[in-house]
Coordinates of all heavy atoms in Angstrom, one line a residue:
M1 N 21.9 138.0 -102.7 CA 22.6 138.5 -103.8 C 22.4 137.6 -105.0 O 22.1 136.4 -104.9 CB 24.1 138.6 -103.6 CG 24.4 139.7 -102.7 SD 26.2 140.0 -102.8 CE 26.3 141.5 -101.9
D2 N 22.6 138.1 -106.2 CA 22.5 137.3 -107.4 C 23.6 136.4 -107.5 O 24.8 136.7 -107.2 CB 22.4 138.3 -108.6 CG 22.1 137.6 -109.9 OD1 21.5 136.6 -109.8 OD2 22.4 138.2 -110.9
K3 N 23.3 135.2 -108.1 CA 24.4 134.2 -108.3 C 25.4 134.6 -109.3 O 26.5 134.2 -109.3 CB 23.7 132.8 -108.6 CG 22.9 132.2 -107.5 CD 22.3 130.9 -107.9 CE 21.4 130.4 -106.8 NZ 20.6 129.3 -107.2
K4 N 24.9 135.3 -110.3 CA 25.8 135.8 -111.4 C 26.8 136.8 -110.8 O 27.9 137.0 -111.4 CB 25.0 136.3 -112.5 CG 24.3 135.3 -113.3 CD 24.0 135.8 -114.7 CE 23.3 134.7 -115.4 NZ 24.1 134.2 -116.5
F5 N 26.4 137.5 -109.8 CA 27.3 138.5 -109.1 C 28.6 137.8 -108.7 O 29.7 138.4 -108.9 CB 26.6 139.1 -108.0 CG 27.5 140.1 -107.2 CD1 27.7 141.3 -107.7 CD2 28.0 139.7 -106.0 CE1 28.5 142.2 -107.0 CE2 28.8 140.6 -105.3 CZ 29.1 141.9 -105.8
F6 N 28.5 136.7 -108.1 CA 29.7 136.0 -107.6 C 30.6 135.5 -108.7 O 31.8 135.5 -108.7 CB 29.3 134.8 -106.7 CG 28.7 135.2 -105.4 CD1 27.5 134.9 -105.0 CD2 29.5 136.0 -104.5 CE1 26.9 135.3 -103.8 CE2 28.9 136.4 -103.3 CZ 27.6 136.1 -103.0
S7 N 30.0 135.0 -109.8 CA 30.8 134.6 -111.0 C 31.5 135.8 -111.6 O 32.6 135.6 -112.1 CB 29.9 133.8 -111.9 OG 29.0 134.6 -112.5
R8 N 30.8 136.9 -111.7 CA 31.5 138.1 -112.3 C 32.6 138.6 -111.4 O 33.7 139.0 -111.9 CB 30.4 139.2 -112.5 CG 29.5 138.9 -113.6 CD 28.4 139.9 -113.7 NE 27.4 139.5 -114.7 CZ 26.1 139.8 -114.5 NH1 25.7 140.5 -113.5 NH2 25.3 139.4 -115.4
I9 N 32.4 138.5 -110.1 CA 33.5 138.9 -109.2 C 34.6 138.0 -109.3 O 35.8 138.4 -109.2 CB 32.9 139.0 -107.7 CG1 31.9 140.1 -107.6 CG2 34.0 139.1 -106.7 CD1 32.5 141.5 -107.8
L10 N 34.4 136.7 -109.5 CA 35.5 135.7 -109.6 C 36.3 136.0 -110.8 O 37.6 136.0 -110.7 CB 34.9 134.3 -109.7 CG 35.8 133.1 -109.7 CD1 36.5 133.1 -108.3 CD2 35.1 131.9 -110.0
I11 N 35.8 136.4 -111.9 CA 36.6 136.7 -113.1 C 37.4 138.0 -112.9 O 38.5 138.1 -113.2 CB 35.6 136.9 -114.3 CG1 35.0 135.6 -114.7 CG2 36.4 137.5 -115.5 CD1 36.0 134.6 -115.3
I12 N 36.7 139.0 -112.2 CA 37.4 140.3 -111.9 C 38.6 140.0 -111.0 O 39.7 140.5 -111.2 CB 36.5 141.3 -111.4 CG1 35.5 141.7 -112.5 CG2 37.2 142.5 -110.8 CD1 34.4 142.6 -112.0
L13 N 38.4 139.2 -110.0 CA 39.5 138.9 -109.0 C 40.6 138.1 -109.7 O 41.8 138.3 -109.4 CB 39.0 138.1 -107.9 CG 38.1 138.8 -106.9 CD1 37.6 137.9 -105.8 CD2 38.9 140.0 -106.2
G14 N 40.3 137.2 -110.7 CA 41.3 136.5 -111.4 C 42.2 137.5 -112.3 O 43.4 137.4 -112.3
V15 N 41.5 138.5 -112.9 CA 42.2 139.4 -113.7 C 43.1 140.3 -112.8 O 44.3 140.6 -113.1 CB 41.3 140.3 -114.5 CG1 41.9 141.5 -115.2 CG2 40.6 139.4 -115.6
V16 N 42.6 140.7 -111.7 CA 43.3 141.5 -110.7 C 44.5 140.7 -110.2 O 45.6 141.3 -110.1 CB 42.4 142.0 -109.5 CG1 43.2 142.5 -108.4 CG2 41.4 143.0 -110.0
A17 N 44.4 139.5 -109.9 CA 45.5 138.6 -109.5 C 46.6 138.6 -110.5 O 47.8 138.7 -110.3 CB 45.0 137.2 -109.1
V18 N 46.2 138.3 -111.8 CA 47.2 138.2 -112.9 C 47.9 139.6 -113.1 O 49.2 139.6 -113.2 CB 46.5 137.8 -114.2 CG1 47.4 138.0 -115.4 CG2 46.0 136.4 -114.1
L19 N 47.2 140.7 -113.0 CA 47.8 142.0 -113.2 C 48.7 142.4 -112.0 O 49.7 143.0 -112.2 CB 46.8 143.0 -113.5 CG 46.0 142.9 -114.8 CD1 44.9 144.0 -114.9 CD2 47.0 143.0 -116.0
T20 N 48.3 142.0 -110.8 CA 49.1 142.3 -109.6 C 50.4 141.6 -109.7 O 51.4 142.2 -109.4 CB 48.3 142.0 -108.4 OG1 47.1 142.7 -108.4 CG2 49.1 142.3 -107.1
L21 N 50.3 140.3 -110.0 CA 51.6 139.5 -110.1 C 52.5 140.1 -111.2 O 53.7 140.1 -111.0 CB 51.3 138.1 -110.3 CG 50.7 137.3 -109.1 CD1 50.3 135.9 -109.5 CD2 51.8 137.2 -108.0
W22 N 51.9 140.5 -112.3 CA 52.7 141.1 -113.4 C 53.4 142.4 -112.9 O 54.6 142.6 -113.2 CB 51.9 141.3 -114.6 CG 52.6 142.1 -115.7 CD1 53.5 141.6 -116.5 CD2 52.5 143.5 -115.9 NE1 54.0 142.7 -117.3 CE2 53.4 143.8 -116.9 CE3 51.7 144.5 -115.3 CZ2 53.5 145.1 -117.4 CZ3 51.9 145.8 -115.8 CH2 52.7 146.1 -116.9
L23 N 52.6 143.2 -112.2 CA 53.2 144.5 -111.7 C 54.3 144.2 -110.7 O 55.3 144.9 -110.7 CB 52.1 145.3 -111.1 CG 52.5 146.7 -110.5 CD1 52.9 147.6 -111.7 CD2 51.3 147.3 -109.8
L24 N 54.1 143.2 -109.8 CA 55.1 142.9 -108.8 C 56.4 142.4 -109.5 O 57.5 142.6 -109.0 CB 54.6 141.9 -107.8 CG 53.6 142.5 -106.8 CD1 53.0 141.4 -106.0 CD2 54.2 143.6 -106.0
K25 N 56.2 141.7 -110.6 CA 57.4 141.2 -111.4 C 58.1 142.4 -112.0 O 59.4 142.4 -112.2 CB 57.0 140.2 -112.4 CG 58.2 139.7 -113.2 CD 57.8 138.7 -114.2 CE 59.1 138.3 -114.9 NZ 58.9 137.3 -115.9
E26 N 57.4 143.4 -112.5 CA 58.0 144.5 -113.2 C 58.7 145.6 -112.3 O 59.5 146.3 -112.7 CB 57.0 145.2 -114.1 CG 56.5 144.3 -115.2 CD 57.6 143.9 -116.1 OE1 58.5 144.7 -116.5 OE2 57.6 142.7 -116.5
L27 N 58.2 145.7 -111.0 CA 58.8 146.6 -110.1 C 60.2 146.2 -109.7 O 60.5 145.1 -109.4 CB 58.0 146.8 -108.8 CG 56.6 147.4 -109.0 CD1 55.8 147.3 -107.7 CD2 56.7 148.9 -109.5
P28 N 61.2 147.2 -109.7 CA 62.6 146.8 -109.4 C 62.7 146.2 -108.0 O 63.6 145.4 -107.8 CB 63.3 148.1 -109.5 CG 62.4 149.0 -110.3 CD 61.0 148.6 -110.1
A29 N 61.9 146.7 -107.0 CA 62.1 146.2 -105.7 C 61.7 144.8 -105.5 O 62.3 144.1 -104.6 CB 61.3 147.1 -104.7
T30 N 60.8 144.3 -106.3 CA 60.3 142.9 -106.1 C 60.5 142.0 -107.3 O 60.0 140.9 -107.4 CB 58.8 142.9 -105.8 OG1 58.1 143.6 -106.9 CG2 58.5 143.6 -104.5
A31 N 61.4 142.5 -108.2 CA 61.6 141.7 -109.5 C 62.3 140.4 -109.2 O 61.9 139.4 -109.8 CB 62.4 142.5 -110.4
E32 N 63.2 140.3 -108.3 CA 63.9 139.0 -108.0 C 62.9 138.0 -107.3 O 63.0 136.8 -107.6 CB 65.1 139.3 -107.1 CG 66.2 140.0 -107.8 CD 67.4 140.2 -106.9 OE1 67.5 139.5 -105.9 OE2 68.2 141.0 -107.2
M33 N 62.0 138.5 -106.5 CA 61.1 137.7 -105.7 C 60.1 137.0 -106.6 O 59.7 135.9 -106.4 CB 60.5 138.4 -104.6 CG 59.7 137.6 -103.6 SD 58.9 138.5 -102.3 CE 60.2 139.5 -101.7
F34 N 59.7 137.8 -107.6 CA 58.6 137.3 -108.6 C 59.2 137.0 -109.9 O 58.5 137.1 -110.9 CB 57.5 138.3 -108.7 CG 56.7 138.5 -107.4 CD1 57.0 139.5 -106.5 CD2 55.7 137.6 -107.2 CE1 56.2 139.6 -105.4 CE2 54.9 137.7 -106.0 CZ 55.2 138.7 -105.1
D35 N 60.4 136.5 -109.9 CA 61.1 136.1 -111.2 C 60.5 134.9 -111.8 O 60.6 134.6 -113.0 CB 62.6 135.9 -110.9 CG 63.4 135.9 -112.2 OD1 62.9 136.6 -113.2 OD2 64.4 135.3 -112.3
W36 N 59.8 134.1 -111.0 CA 59.2 132.8 -111.5 C 57.9 133.1 -112.4 O 57.5 132.2 -113.1 CB 58.7 132.0 -110.3 CG 57.8 132.7 -109.3 CD1 58.2 133.4 -108.3 CD2 56.4 132.8 -109.4 NE1 57.2 133.9 -107.6 CE2 56.0 133.6 -108.3 CE3 55.4 132.3 -110.2 CZ2 54.7 133.9 -108.0 CZ3 54.1 132.6 -110.0 CH2 53.7 133.4 -108.9
Y37 N 57.3 134.3 -112.2 CA 56.1 134.6 -112.9 C 56.3 134.8 -114.4 O 57.2 135.6 -114.8 CB 55.4 135.8 -112.3 CG 54.1 136.1 -112.8 CD1 53.0 135.3 -112.4 CD2 53.8 137.2 -113.6 CE1 51.7 135.5 -112.9 CE2 52.5 137.5 -114.0 CZ 51.5 136.6 -113.7 OH 50.2 136.9 -114.1
S38 N 55.5 134.1 -115.2 CA 55.7 134.3 -116.7 C 54.3 134.3 -117.3 O 53.2 134.2 -116.6 CB 56.5 133.1 -117.2 OG 55.8 131.9 -117.0
V39 N 54.2 134.3 -118.6 CA 53.0 134.3 -119.4 C 52.2 133.0 -119.1 O 51.0 133.0 -119.1 CB 53.2 134.6 -120.9 CG1 51.9 134.4 -121.7 CG2 53.8 135.9 -121.1
A40 N 53.0 131.9 -119.0 CA 52.4 130.6 -118.8 C 51.7 130.6 -117.4 O 50.6 130.0 -117.3 CB 53.4 129.5 -118.8
W41 N 52.2 131.2 -116.4 CA 51.6 131.3 -115.1 C 50.3 132.2 -115.2 O 49.3 131.9 -114.5 CB 52.5 131.8 -114.0 CG 53.5 130.8 -113.5 CD1 54.8 130.7 -113.8 CD2 53.2 129.6 -112.7 NE1 55.3 129.6 -113.2 CE2 54.3 128.9 -112.5 CE3 52.0 129.2 -112.1 CZ2 54.4 127.8 -111.7 CZ3 52.0 128.0 -111.4 CH2 53.2 127.3 -111.2
A42 N 50.4 133.3 -115.9 CA 49.2 134.1 -116.1 C 48.1 133.4 -116.8 O 46.9 133.5 -116.4 CB 49.6 135.4 -116.9
A43 N 48.4 132.6 -117.8 CA 47.4 131.8 -118.5 C 46.9 130.7 -117.6 O 45.7 130.4 -117.7 CB 48.0 131.2 -119.8
T44 N 47.7 130.1 -116.8 CA 47.2 129.1 -115.8 C 46.2 129.7 -114.9 O 45.2 129.1 -114.6 CB 48.4 128.5 -115.1 OG1 49.3 128.0 -116.0 CG2 48.0 127.5 -114.1
I45 N 46.6 130.8 -114.3 CA 45.7 131.4 -113.3 C 44.4 131.8 -114.0 O 43.3 131.5 -113.5 CB 46.4 132.7 -112.7 CG1 47.5 132.2 -111.8 CG2 45.4 133.5 -111.8 CD1 48.4 133.3 -111.3
F46 N 44.4 132.5 -115.1 CA 43.2 133.0 -115.8 C 42.3 131.8 -116.3 O 41.1 131.8 -116.1 CB 43.6 133.9 -116.9 CG 42.4 134.6 -117.5 CD1 41.7 135.6 -116.8 CD2 41.9 134.2 -118.7 CE1 40.6 136.2 -117.3 CE2 40.7 134.8 -119.3 CZ 40.1 135.8 -118.5
A47 N 42.9 130.8 -116.9 CA 42.2 129.7 -117.4 C 41.6 128.9 -116.2 O 40.4 128.4 -116.3 CB 43.0 128.8 -118.2
G48 N 42.3 128.8 -115.1 CA 41.7 128.1 -113.9 C 40.5 128.8 -113.3 O 39.6 128.2 -113.0
V49 N 40.6 130.1 -113.3 CA 39.5 130.9 -112.7 C 38.3 130.9 -113.7 O 37.2 130.7 -113.2 CB 40.0 132.4 -112.5 CG1 38.8 133.3 -112.3 CG2 41.0 132.5 -111.4
V50 N 38.5 131.0 -115.0 CA 37.4 130.9 -115.9 C 36.8 129.5 -115.9 O 35.6 129.3 -115.9 CB 37.9 131.2 -117.3 CG1 36.9 130.9 -118.4 CG2 38.3 132.7 -117.4
G51 N 37.6 128.4 -115.8 CA 37.1 127.1 -115.6 C 36.3 126.9 -114.4 O 35.2 126.3 -114.4
A52 N 36.7 127.4 -113.3 CA 36.0 127.3 -112.0 C 34.7 128.1 -112.1 O 33.6 127.6 -111.6 CB 36.8 127.9 -110.9
K53 N 34.7 129.2 -112.8 CA 33.5 130.0 -113.0 C 32.4 129.3 -113.8 O 31.3 129.2 -113.4 CB 33.8 131.4 -113.7 CG 32.6 132.2 -114.0 CD 32.7 132.7 -115.4 CE 31.5 133.6 -115.7 NZ 30.4 132.9 -116.3
F54 N 32.9 128.7 -114.9 CA 31.9 127.9 -115.7 C 31.4 126.7 -115.0 O 30.2 126.4 -115.1 CB 32.5 127.5 -117.0 CG 32.5 128.6 -118.0 CD1 33.7 128.9 -118.7 CD2 31.4 129.4 -118.3 CE1 33.7 129.9 -119.7 CE2 31.4 130.4 -119.3 CZ 32.6 130.7 -119.9
I55 N 32.2 126.0 -114.2 CA 31.7 124.8 -113.5 C 30.7 125.3 -112.4 O 29.7 124.6 -112.2 CB 32.9 124.0 -112.9 CG1 33.6 123.3 -114.1 CG2 32.4 123.0 -111.9 CD1 34.8 122.5 -113.7
L56 N 31.0 126.3 -111.7 CA 30.1 126.8 -110.7 C 28.8 127.3 -111.3 O 27.7 127.1 -110.7 CB 30.8 127.9 -109.8 CG 31.9 127.4 -108.9 CD1 32.6 128.6 -108.2 CD2 31.4 126.4 -107.9
D57 N 28.9 128.0 -112.4 CA 27.7 128.4 -113.1 C 26.8 127.2 -113.5 O 25.6 127.3 -113.5 CB 28.0 129.3 -114.3 CG 28.4 130.7 -113.9 OD1 28.2 131.1 -112.8 OD2 28.9 131.4 -114.8
G58 N 27.5 126.2 -114.0 CA 26.7 125.0 -114.4 C 26.1 124.3 -113.3 O 25.0 123.8 -113.4
I59 N 26.8 124.2 -112.2 CA 26.2 123.5 -111.0 C 25.0 124.3 -110.4 O 24.0 123.7 -110.1 CB 27.3 123.3 -109.9 CG1 28.3 122.3 -110.4 CG2 26.7 122.9 -108.6 CD1 29.6 122.2 -109.5
F60 N 25.2 125.6 -110.3 CA 24.1 126.4 -109.7 C 23.2 127.1 -110.7 O 22.5 128.0 -110.3 CB 24.8 127.5 -108.8 CG 25.6 126.9 -107.7 CD1 26.9 127.1 -107.6 CD2 25.0 126.2 -106.7 CE1 27.7 126.6 -106.5 CE2 25.7 125.6 -105.6 CZ 27.0 125.8 -105.6
M61 N 23.2 126.6 -111.9 CA 22.3 127.1 -112.9 C 20.8 126.8 -112.5 O 20.5 125.7 -112.0 CB 22.6 126.5 -114.3 CG 21.9 127.1 -115.4 SD 22.5 126.4 -117.0 CE 24.0 127.2 -117.2
G62 N 20.0 127.7 -112.8 CA 18.6 127.5 -112.5 C 17.9 126.5 -113.4 O 18.5 125.5 -113.8
S63 N 16.7 126.7 -113.8 CA 16.0 125.8 -114.6 C 16.1 126.1 -116.1 O 15.1 126.4 -116.8 CB 14.5 125.8 -114.2 OG 14.0 127.0 -114.4
K64 N 17.3 126.2 -116.6 CA 17.6 126.6 -118.0 C 17.7 125.3 -118.9 O 17.9 125.5 -120.1 CB 18.8 127.5 -118.1 CG 18.6 128.8 -117.5 CD 19.6 129.8 -118.0 CE 19.3 131.1 -117.3 NZ 20.0 132.2 -117.9
G65 N 17.6 124.2 -118.3 CA 17.7 123.0 -119.1 C 19.0 122.1 -118.9 O 20.0 122.7 -118.5
V66 N 18.8 120.9 -119.1 CA 19.9 119.9 -118.8 C 21.0 120.1 -119.8 O 22.2 120.1 -119.5 CB 19.4 118.5 -118.9 CG1 20.5 117.5 -118.7 CG2 18.3 118.3 -117.8
I67 N 20.7 120.4 -121.1 CA 21.7 120.5 -122.1 C 22.6 121.8 -121.9 O 23.8 121.7 -122.0 CB 21.1 120.6 -123.5 CG1 20.4 119.2 -123.8 CG2 22.1 120.9 -124.6 CD1 19.7 119.2 -125.1
S68 N 22.0 122.8 -121.5 CA 22.7 124.1 -121.2 C 23.6 123.9 -120.0 O 24.7 124.3 -120.0 CB 21.7 125.2 -120.9 OG 22.4 126.4 -120.5
R69 N 23.1 123.2 -119.0 CA 23.9 122.9 -117.7 C 25.1 122.0 -118.1 O 26.2 122.3 -117.6 CB 23.0 122.3 -116.7 CG 23.7 121.9 -115.4 CD 22.8 121.3 -114.4 NE 22.0 122.4 -114.0 CZ 21.2 122.3 -112.9 NH1 21.0 121.1 -112.3 NH2 20.4 123.3 -112.5
K70 N 24.9 121.0 -118.8 CA 26.0 120.1 -119.1 C 27.0 120.8 -120.0 O 28.2 120.5 -119.9 CB 25.4 118.8 -119.8 CG 24.7 117.9 -118.9 CD 24.3 116.6 -119.6 CE 23.6 115.7 -118.6 NZ 23.3 114.4 -119.3
F71 N 26.5 121.6 -121.0 CA 27.5 122.3 -121.8 C 28.3 123.3 -121.1 O 29.5 123.4 -121.3 CB 26.7 123.0 -123.0 CG 27.6 123.7 -123.9 CD1 28.4 123.0 -124.8 CD2 27.7 125.1 -123.9 CE1 29.2 123.7 -125.7 CE2 28.5 125.8 -124.8 CZ 29.3 125.1 -125.7
T72 N 27.7 124.0 -120.1 CA 28.5 124.9 -119.3 C 29.5 124.2 -118.4 O 30.7 124.6 -118.3 CB 27.5 125.7 -118.4 OG1 26.5 126.3 -119.2 CG2 28.2 126.8 -117.6
I73 N 29.1 123.0 -117.8 CA 30.1 122.3 -117.1 C 31.2 121.7 -117.9 O 32.4 121.7 -117.6 CB 29.4 121.2 -116.3 CG1 28.5 121.8 -115.2 CG2 30.4 120.2 -115.6 CD1 27.6 120.8 -114.5
L74 N 30.8 121.3 -119.2 CA 31.8 120.8 -120.1 C 32.8 121.9 -120.5 O 34.0 121.6 -120.6 CB 31.2 120.2 -121.3 CG 32.1 119.6 -122.4 CD1 32.8 118.4 -121.9 CD2 31.3 119.3 -123.7
L75 N 32.3 123.1 -120.7 CA 33.2 124.2 -121.1 C 34.1 124.5 -119.9 O 35.3 124.8 -120.2 CB 32.3 125.4 -121.4 CG 33.0 126.6 -122.0 CD1 33.7 126.2 -123.4 CD2 32.0 127.7 -122.3
G76 N 33.6 124.4 -118.7 CA 34.5 124.6 -117.5 C 35.6 123.6 -117.4 O 36.7 123.9 -117.1
A77 N 35.2 122.3 -117.7 CA 36.2 121.3 -117.7 C 37.3 121.5 -118.8 O 38.5 121.2 -118.6 CB 35.5 119.9 -117.9
V78 N 36.9 121.9 -120.0 CA 37.8 122.2 -121.0 C 38.8 123.3 -120.6 O 40.0 123.3 -120.8 CB 37.1 122.6 -122.4 CG1 38.1 123.2 -123.4 CG2 36.4 121.3 -122.9
C79 N 38.2 124.4 -120.0 CA 39.1 125.5 -119.5 C 40.1 125.0 -118.4 O 41.2 125.4 -118.4 CB 38.3 126.6 -118.9 SG 37.4 127.6 -120.2
L80 N 39.6 124.1 -117.6 CA 40.6 123.5 -116.5 C 41.6 122.6 -117.2 O 42.8 122.6 -116.7 CB 39.8 122.8 -115.5 CG 39.0 123.6 -114.5 CD1 38.2 122.8 -113.6 CD2 39.8 124.6 -113.8
I81 N 41.3 121.9 -118.3 CA 42.3 121.1 -119.0 C 43.3 122.1 -119.6 O 44.5 121.8 -119.6 CB 41.6 120.2 -120.0 CG1 40.9 119.1 -119.3 CG2 42.6 119.6 -121.0 CD1 40.0 118.3 -120.2
I82 N 42.9 123.2 -120.1 CA 43.8 124.2 -120.7 C 44.7 124.7 -119.6 O 45.9 124.9 -119.8 CB 43.0 125.3 -121.4 CG1 42.4 124.7 -122.7 CG2 43.9 126.5 -121.8 CD1 41.4 125.7 -123.4
A83 N 44.1 125.0 -118.4 CA 44.9 125.5 -117.3 C 45.9 124.4 -116.9 O 47.1 124.8 -116.6 CB 44.0 125.8 -116.1
F84 N 45.6 123.2 -116.9 CA 46.6 122.1 -116.6 C 47.7 122.1 -117.6 O 48.9 121.9 -117.3 CB 45.9 120.8 -116.5 CG 46.8 119.7 -116.2 CD1 47.3 119.6 -114.9 CD2 47.2 118.7 -117.1 CE1 48.2 118.5 -114.5 CE2 48.1 117.7 -116.8 CZ 48.6 117.6 -115.5
G85 N 47.4 122.3 -118.9 CA 48.4 122.3 -120.0 C 49.3 123.5 -119.8 O 50.5 123.4 -119.9
C86 N 48.7 124.7 -119.4 CA 49.5 125.9 -119.2 C 50.4 125.7 -117.9 O 51.6 126.1 -117.9 CB 48.6 127.1 -119.0 SG 47.8 127.6 -120.5
L87 N 49.9 125.0 -116.9 CA 50.7 124.7 -115.7 C 51.9 123.8 -116.1 O 53.0 124.0 -115.6 CB 49.8 124.1 -114.7 CG 50.5 123.7 -113.4 CD1 51.0 124.9 -112.7 CD2 49.6 122.9 -112.5
T88 N 51.6 122.8 -116.9 CA 52.7 122.0 -117.4 C 53.8 122.8 -118.1 O 55.0 122.6 -117.8 CB 52.2 120.9 -118.3 OG1 51.1 120.2 -117.6 CG2 53.3 119.9 -118.7
F89 N 53.4 123.7 -119.0 CA 54.4 124.5 -119.7 C 55.1 125.5 -118.7 O 56.3 125.8 -118.9 CB 53.7 125.3 -120.8 CG 53.6 124.5 -122.1 CD1 52.3 124.1 -122.5 CD2 54.6 124.0 -122.8 CE1 52.1 123.4 -123.6 CE2 54.5 123.3 -123.9 CZ 53.2 122.9 -124.3
A90 N 54.4 126.0 -117.7 CA 55.0 126.9 -116.8 C 56.1 126.2 -115.9 O 57.1 126.8 -115.6 CB 53.9 127.5 -115.8
I91 N 55.9 124.9 -115.6 CA 56.8 124.2 -114.8 C 58.0 123.7 -115.7 O 59.2 123.8 -115.3 CB 56.2 123.0 -114.1 CG1 55.2 123.5 -113.1 CG2 57.2 122.0 -113.5 CD1 54.3 122.4 -112.4
V92 N 57.7 123.2 -116.9 CA 58.8 122.7 -117.8 C 59.6 123.8 -118.4 O 60.9 123.7 -118.4 CB 58.2 121.8 -118.9 CG1 59.2 121.4 -119.9 CG2 57.5 120.6 -118.3
I93 N 59.0 124.9 -118.8 CA 59.7 126.0 -119.4 C 59.5 127.2 -118.5 O 58.6 128.0 -118.6 CB 59.1 126.4 -120.8 CG1 59.1 125.1 -121.7 CG2 59.9 127.5 -121.5 CD1 58.4 125.3 -123.0
P94 N 60.5 127.5 -117.6 CA 60.3 128.5 -116.6 C 60.3 129.9 -117.1 O 59.8 130.8 -116.4 CB 61.4 128.2 -115.5 CG 62.3 127.3 -116.2 CD 61.7 126.7 -117.4
E95 N 61.0 130.2 -118.2 CA 61.1 131.6 -118.6 C 60.2 131.8 -119.9 O 59.8 130.9 -120.5 CB 62.5 132.0 -118.9 CG 63.1 131.2 -120.1 CD 63.8 129.9 -119.6 OE1 64.0 129.7 -118.4 OE2 64.0 129.1 -120.5
N96 N 59.9 133.0 -120.2 CA 59.1 133.4 -121.3 C 59.9 133.0 -122.6 O 61.1 133.2 -122.7 CB 58.7 134.9 -121.4 CG 57.7 135.2 -120.4 OD1 56.8 134.3 -120.0 ND2 57.7 136.4 -119.9
I97 N 59.2 132.6 -123.6 CA 59.8 132.3 -124.9 C 59.6 133.5 -125.8 O 58.6 134.1 -125.9 CB 59.2 131.1 -125.6 CG1 59.4 129.8 -124.7 CG2 59.7 130.9 -126.9 CD1 58.8 128.6 -125.2

């Protein structure tokens, strides 16, 4: 299979996870159980998945050049730093503002 196939599937699975958790929070039967879920958690999950995707793309990149590979890994690291910031806000501020 193509290596880009896995990275595309990773992004789709991240979006599905964010939307599934949002739906479970909105349903009356599971609203109390998923009361912890907020926009900060959604941003954490999505930024983490995007960061992992870029890092994996940079590691497994073909012969497109060293600069392109390093830039892709750097972009993934920036996304993971954003995910860490969102995680900090999700823990410190538990409800939506």
